[in-house]
Structures are given as C-alpha cells and as structure tokens.
Amino acid sequence: MSASLILNDPTLLQTNAFIDGVFTAAPNGKTFAVRNPANGEIIAEVADCGADDIARAIDAADTARHSWAATTAKERSAILRKWNDLCLENIDDLAAILTAEMGKPLAEAKGEILYGTSFIDWFAEEARRVTGDVLESPFPDKKFIVLKQPIGVFGAITPWNFPSSMITRKAGAALAAGCTMVVKPAEQTSMSTIRIAELAIEAGIPDGVLNVVPGFGETAGAAIGLHPDVDCVAFTGSTEVGRHFLRYSADSNLKEVLLECGGKSPVIVMADADDLDAAAIGICEGIFWNGGQNCSANSRLIVQRSVADELLERIAERS
C-alpha cells in the first residue's frame, strides 16, 4: 500500500477479488496498478481477473440466490441497515481510499459516501414494501395475482467517477429485492468497491450473495454481459460501451439490460430569471463539479437572447 494512503485500520484495504465470501487473487497471479491521479503514484496492485474468475463468481451467486431469495424482507432490511451503519462508522477510511484512487477532494469523497449510504438506507426500508397485486379479471370466476420475485443473478459494472455511490445504488436495490450480485468495478477505483462490499459481508450478507471481481471491461466486463446465468446487468458509463451490453444480451440469453450512459444536460435561462448571479453560480458548479466528470454535468446552455450577454459575463467572472 502507498505510504501516502493512511488509514485508521490499514488491514481494511483489500486488493483481491471477493468471491463466495473469500478474498482471492487472480489464479494466474496477474495484477494491475491503481494510481493516484494527483501524482501518478502507485497506490496498490489489484487482482486482474478475467472470464474464469467471473464464471466462478457467477456460479457462487447462482448457488446462493435461492437461499437469499427465501429470506424475509424484514431480514434483508435489517442486514442493509447494518451495512449502512458500518459504512458510516468507516467513513474516514472509505473517503481516504476514494480520494487516493479517484482524485476528488476528501470533503467531496465524504459527501459521496454519505450520498451512497442514502441508497442503502432507502432500500433497507423499501425491502419491506415489495408487495404483489390482485387484479380484476375478465372472467367472473377468476382473479389475476401478481407476485414480485427476485430476477436472479444481477451483474453490475460501475464507473470510476462515483465508485462508492454507484455500487450502493445498484446493490442496495438488488439485495433488497432478494437478488444476488456480481460486480465489476472500474479498474481505476476497484478498492473503493471492494471495501464497501466487505462491509456488506460484515453486516451479514451471506457468502456468494455479493461478489466483486476487479478487471478490465474487455475481459471481466464482457464476461458478465455474455454469461447465460446472469439474468440482468446494469452498466453506468459511456454510450459506446453501453451498446456492447445490448449486443452481449442479444448474443447470450436476452438478459435485461439497464443502461445509464452519456447524455446531454441542458440549462435553460429565460429572460424573466430573477437572479442571474445565482444562475451563473449554478451553471459553473454544474459543469465543474467533480472535475466535470458527472452524469448531470451541464453540457448545453440555452439562454434567451435578451439576457445572454449579461449571463455570459457573469459566468466568465466565475469560471
């Protein structure tokens, strides 16, 4: 571990894959370097896993899915609540790891941890509210009953710009619903995801329910998308890569695909805007927050002509 990454408990930093409740190196011993983007320093060497490792993780998730789905909503809710508490207890170390490998300021890293735990908190409660429906039927002697059940093995590929909150947003929903998971984090920020998953196991998530396999998109990511035992996959990243996951689904088992890809986020300022200073501040914060690396970064500015020059001057003053 890098000497510049100081943790309250250095033993908590993990660099291996987490499969079926066990930290394991890539079988071939391959690793890749995770660097601090601020100075290029190597923080750690992380297991470089491939298709075989993904297959083992999927097998573990497939085996665990029946028992996890059989737990009550109350039980899953209690475990998620404990996970939330453990993340908050370890916020300093989680933020330090996040800052070291992603590069955002420590204050923003702590903000992301809090943002991420809000998803766990939310889904801990929503787990109790997964209910079915009884629908009217066109036949007088019949009723339609709708039961909501876990989809099965859920694959997740998370991005580097918000590595902690994107894993909790995906995993919180999947685990609350009774699904098991295999996660491939962005190679730049794998350790943030591994540590949060480790806290989930400490909270009581059974072995095999949550697996984290670091690696690269062309190998580990594609293996998740193509595996026939993955029932749904969620990807956050570029539109170009999102298209690959649609193809993977078509080439395998027509698994459900949830994509959060690149988009356009317009800001619209009309002539009757009361406070152009506030608009300028909001525009600058929107585009430059997180170094501009966020899904909702302002990429288009649409301004009514009569206030355009004045607004642009105020934006220039703050840029």
Side-chain angles (χ1 to χ4, degrees):
M1 182 180 74
S2 166
S4 63
L5 178 55
I6 300 174
L7 303 178
N8 294 322
D9 185 354
T11 64
L12 300 180
L13 188 70
Q14 292 290 345
T15 58
N16 286 325
F18 190 70
I19 300 174
D20 203 12
V22 178
F23 286 106
T24 178
N28 56 14
K30 288 180 62 178
T31 62
F32 60 86
V34 174
R35 295 180 179 272
N36 185 328
N39 55 22
E41 177 190 27
I42 295 177
I43 305 168
E45 295 284 342
V46 174
D48 183 0
C49 298
D52 290 343
D53 307 287
I54 291 292
R56 288 194 298 118
I58 292 171
D59 286 345
D62 192 50
T63 300
R65 68 184 178 92
H66 301 288
S67 58
W68 180 242
T71 59
T72 66
K74 182 179 180 180
E75 290 174 304
R76 295 196 296 271
S77 176
I79 292 173
L80 289 174
R81 176 68 59 202
K82 179 63 175 176
W83 187 21
N84 174 79
D85 295 343
L86 286 173
C87 288
L88 293 176
E89 290 172 16
N90 289 272
I91 188 171
D92 289 337
D93 281 350
L94 290 174
I97 295 170
L98 176 56
T99 291
E101 62 180 1
M102 187 272 161
K104 66 179 61 179
L106 187 61
E108 287 196 20
K110 288 186 176 182
E112 182 182 341
I113 303 303
L114 292 173
Y115 177 54
T117 57
S118 73
F119 292 117
I120 306 174
D121 183 47
W122 171 266
F123 287 114
E125 294 302 315
E126 288 303 296
R128 299 170 178 263
R129 288 187 273 272
V130 179
T131 58
D133 296 290
V134 178
L135 306 178
E136 289 299 322
S137 164
F139 307 104
D141 59 340
K142 294 180 174 65
K143 293 286 186 182
F144 292 156
I145 299 176
V146 178
L147 300 178
K148 295 182 180 178
Q149 297 179 325
I151 196 170
V153 177
F154 183 83
I157 291 85
T158 56
W160 66 272
N161 57 342
F162 290 94
S164 297
S165 56
M166 292 301 98
I167 174 57
T168 56
R169 186 169 74 175
K170 290 175 169 56
L175 297 175
C179 300
T180 55
M181 291 195 71
V182 176
V183 182
K184 204 294 285 184
E187 56 271 17
Q188 300 94 330
T189 53
S190 296
M191 293 183 294
S192 293
T193 303
I194 295 171
R195 177 58 186 136
I196 286 180
E198 184 182 13
L199 291 175
I201 303 305
E202 291 181 25
I205 295 290
D207 292 350
V209 171
L210 178 59
N211 307 274
V212 179
V213 188
F216 290 83
E218 299 87 347
T219 50
I224 292 176
L226 288 167
H227 201 289
D229 289 335
V230 174
D231 301 286
C232 179
V233 64
F235 167 77
T236 299
S238 70
T239 302
E240 178 184 2
V241 176
R243 290 191 180 100
H244 287 301
F245 281 96
L246 290 176
R247 297 188 188 102
Y248 297 152
S249 174
D251 291 341
S252 55
N253 59 340
L254 289 179
K255 60 177 62 64
E256 292 194 29
V257 180
L258 308 175
L259 298 178
E260 183 186 14
C261 299
K264 295 296 181 181
S265 303
V267 174
I268 301 173
V269 182
M270 305 300 290
D272 60 352
D274 292 331
D275 191 340
L276 290 181
D277 280 325
I281 292 171
I283 290 165
C284 291
E285 289 181 350
I287 189 62
F288 293 119
W289 172 57
N290 206 48
Q293 296 293 337
N294 66 85
C295 301
S296 56
N298 308 331
S299 53
R300 289 184 293 173
L301 181 56
I302 302 171
V303 186
Q304 201 158 355
R305 191 178 302 276
S306 60
V307 294
D309 291 342
E310 184 179 357
L311 178 63
L312 290 176
E313 287 178 6
R314 300 188 188 198
I315 291 173
E317 291 172 358
R318 291 165 175 79
S319 299

